[in-house]
Amino acid sequence: MKDEKYVIGLTGGIGTGKSMVLEHIKNEYNGFVIEADKIGHEIFEYNSKTYNKVLQAFGTEILSVTDNKPYIDRKKLGQIVFNNKEKLELLNSITHHDIYHKINELINTCDKDLIVIEAAILPDTPLVTLCDTLWYIYADKETRITRLLKYRDISREKALKIMANQPDEERFKNVCQVVIDNSYDKETTFKQIKEHLPGGSLWAN
């Protein structure tokens, strides 16, 4: 399996433990991890192509200034597209295209055989075409809430609200080829990862 690149598309809701899975694949299997949200921040850098396209589409009201330098304020932008399907689709049409091309470039230029693309709404983006398989990281509701209360220091009510606003879990699970149940201890999760990697331990460092 190591004669060509193998790309896993990884998704899952908040509190399911995606970061732990990514870290394990990176450390134990020499995986190259690409987080779409971080790429999304990078392409918004001042005067980039994406910056200028978004600014043209939404106007200067989305800008804030720090150190005398303007930047796209994602909070302001979020308020504009929240509950406005047309504007959200416009934003996605710009950002998804640019994120796709940046990630495709990273895949083609990296020197690793195993690559993981993590994105919260990956099945609804063009990124699926870059992936050999889609993995859904699952954890039961109470486990997710417990993690959010512990690691995000938020209330149970806020945790439930965030979870309710995320993509439909069953729909995403159904379009993914692999479901990793991360409701239990790390060893159980790590065993599942090994079982679902083609070649299993062949990837191990």
Side-chain angles (χ1 to χ4, degrees):
M1 278 305 302
K2 299 189 74 173
D3 58 342
E4 59 183 26
K5 293 176 181 179
Y6 187 75
V7 183
I8 299 170
L10 187 146
T11 191
I14 189 171
T16 56
K18 298 188 297 296
S19 295
M20 185 192 79
V21 173
L22 292 172
E23 193 69 17
H24 182 70
I25 293 175
K26 179 180 177 181
N27 293 335
E28 296 299 318
Y29 298 98
N30 198 31
F32 181 65
V33 172
I34 303 172
E35 295 177 74
D37 189 56
K38 289 184 178 179
I39 302 298
H41 280 81
E42 290 175 10
I43 65 171
F44 269 48
E45 288 179 356
Y46 175 71
N47 214 27
S48 68
K49 287 192 297 183
T50 309
Y51 175 98
N52 290 324
K53 284 189 286 187
V54 172
L55 188 60
Q56 184 177 7
F58 292 94
T60 56
E61 61 265 30
I62 65 171
L63 295 178
S64 290
V65 178
T66 183
D67 296 327
N68 295 318
K69 186 176 180 180
Y71 69 94
I72 293 176
D73 191 320
R74 291 166 71 95
K75 188 174 182 179
K76 290 181 179 179
L77 184 57
Q79 290 171 345
I80 292 173
V81 302
F82 186 70
N83 286 336
N84 188 318
K85 186 178 179 181
E86 186 176 313
K87 289 186 176 180
L88 178 60
E89 287 178 352
L90 174 59
L91 176 63
N92 287 342
S93 70
I94 298 170
T95 58
H96 287 179
H97 175 272
D98 292 354
I99 289 170
Y100 174 92
H101 285 285
K102 178 64 177 178
I103 289 178
N104 189 41
E105 179 185 339
L106 289 171
I107 291 171
N108 290 329
T109 56
C110 85
D111 60 356
K112 303 289 181 69
D113 300 304
L114 180 60
I115 300 161
V116 186
I117 304 170
E118 185 273 323
I121 58 169
L122 191 145
D124 288 338
T125 74
L127 293 174
V128 294
T129 62
L130 300 176
C131 303
D132 294 297
T133 183
L134 300 181
W135 287 20
Y136 188 87
I137 309 304
Y138 167 82
D140 64 76
K141 182 178 178 180
E142 287 304 317
T143 297
R144 293 173 66 187
I145 292 171
T146 299
R147 288 172 180 163
L148 290 173
L149 267 59
K150 181 177 180 181
Y151 298 112
R152 301 288 184 97
D153 192 28
I154 59 177
S155 67
R156 181 182 179 87
E157 290 72 23
K158 186 169 183 179
L160 287 168
K161 186 175 181 181
I162 293 171
M163 290 165 61
N165 286 330
Q166 294 206 307
D168 180 69
E169 182 178 88
E170 287 305 313
R171 181 171 68 86
F172 272 23
K173 282 172 68 176
N174 289 336
V175 299
C176 291
Q177 290 78 45
V178 172
V179 176
I180 302 292
D181 190 342
N182 192 28
S183 303
Y184 307 102
D185 57 84
K186 291 182 179 180
E187 287 68 29
T188 301
T189 299
F190 295 163
K191 182 180 179 182
Q192 293 174 73
I193 293 170
K194 183 178 180 180
E195 288 173 349
H196 289 292
L197 280 174
S201 58
L202 291 177
W203 294 99
N205 288 328

